[in-house]
Amino acid sequence: MSYYGSSSSGGWGSRRVEYGRTYIVRPKGRHQATIVWLHGLGDNGASWSQLLDSLSLPNIKWICPTAATRPVTAFGGFPCTAWFDVEDISVDGRDDIEGLDASAAHIANLLSSEPPDVKLGIGGFSMGAAAALHSAACYAHGKFANSMPYPITLSAVISLSGWLPCSRTLRSKTETSHMAARRASSLPILLSHGRVDEVVSYRNAERSVDTLRNSGFLYLNFKSYNGLGHYTIPEEMDDVGKWLSSRLGLDRSR
């Protein structure tokens, strides 16, 4: 495992964003896929890089960035690491479009220098999952919410204990473009959620899945876990590994 220093997306909108340290888990076998994994609110890339490094997925390179430290409305303006501002952790909350776009651009930039024969994906937990789903929407539309072109091709998106931001406008965007509808229908997305999640309610997961399906994202796999709260368990991560191996056609060998 290695890491990069902090990076920024100066000039994105009116806000200069200073991101934290990015941790890299190198593939132990033939490099077939690269996945950016996004941590939850108040966390950092280090904790997830250690977990991902323990998975039996030798053909994946993991990039685990750390979000910028910013005031978070849900915490009364207290600053912590966050991919965007949030006041209500649900599909009904106000959408920080500028923050979501800035993070999506940072993620795309991390993937932009990967080899052309390597498949690209984005995954995350909680707020990181929400940012991953926003990236999925940007990929389908071919552009960010601010209309700047989305620069990479995604092959897989994973949401653990997350929710879909910008859900109120997603369907109208995919319905007005044949290209968006085609991309949406062919992008594999895995959503996993605990039925007793006390932070992001299970109902938010169900509504997110419904909105994605109604917006043309048809390649969905929704897995629920009885007794699971707002955390992950080995069974869930094993399911993530099996899903990635199947959808990305990984060797599962070194």
Side-chain angles (χ1 to χ4, degrees), residues 59-216:
N59 306 108
I60 295 180
K61 172 185 174 181
W62 301 95
I63 302 177
C64 302
T66 299
T69 298
R70 68 183 83 205
V72 175
T73 302
F75 293 164
F78 184 82
C80 68
T81 52
W83 298 109
F84 51 93
D85 188 27
V86 62
E87 59 184 28
D88 179 16
I89 303 177
S90 76
V91 295
D92 297 317
R94 177 186 62 84
D95 293 311
D96 174 17
I97 302 296
E98 186 178 352
L100 282 160
D101 266 3
S103 288
H106 181 61
I107 297 160
N109 184 59
L110 291 172
L111 290 168
S112 63
S113 60
E114 291 301 294
D117 60 336
V118 166
K119 295 178 180 178
L120 307 178
I122 303 172
F125 174 80
S126 192
M127 172 179 271
L133 292 176
H134 179 69
S135 292
C138 292
Y139 164 69
H141 301 153
K143 55 188 177 182
F144 298 97
N146 66 4
S147 296
M148 291 180 65
Y150 190 75
I152 61 172
T153 299
L154 293 179
S155 296
V157 173
I158 301 167
S159 166
L160 305 186
S161 305
W163 73 95
L164 176 67
C166 306
S167 61
R168 291 176 287 271
T169 59
L170 183 60
R171 184 173 181 176
S172 63
K173 290 181 178 179
T174 53
E175 286 181 338
T176 56
S177 166
H178 292 299
M179 176 66 75
R182 185 160 61 249
R183 286 181 172 179
S185 65
S186 61
L187 176 63
I189 301 178
L190 171 66
L191 298 99
S192 298
H193 215 97
R195 287 187 173 272
V196 294
D197 192 320
E198 70 285 4
V199 177
V200 182
S201 71
Y202 184 72
R203 179 60 182 150
N204 272 292
E206 291 180 315
R207 292 175 63 191
S208 296
V209 170
D210 288 343
T211 300
L212 285 165
R213 283 205 176 107
N214 291 335
S215 301

Side-chain angles (χ1 to χ4, degrees), residues 4 24 75 96 113 229 237 247:
Y4 300 139
I24 307 294
F75 293 164
D96 174 17
S113 60
M237 295 309 299
R247 295 298 177 269

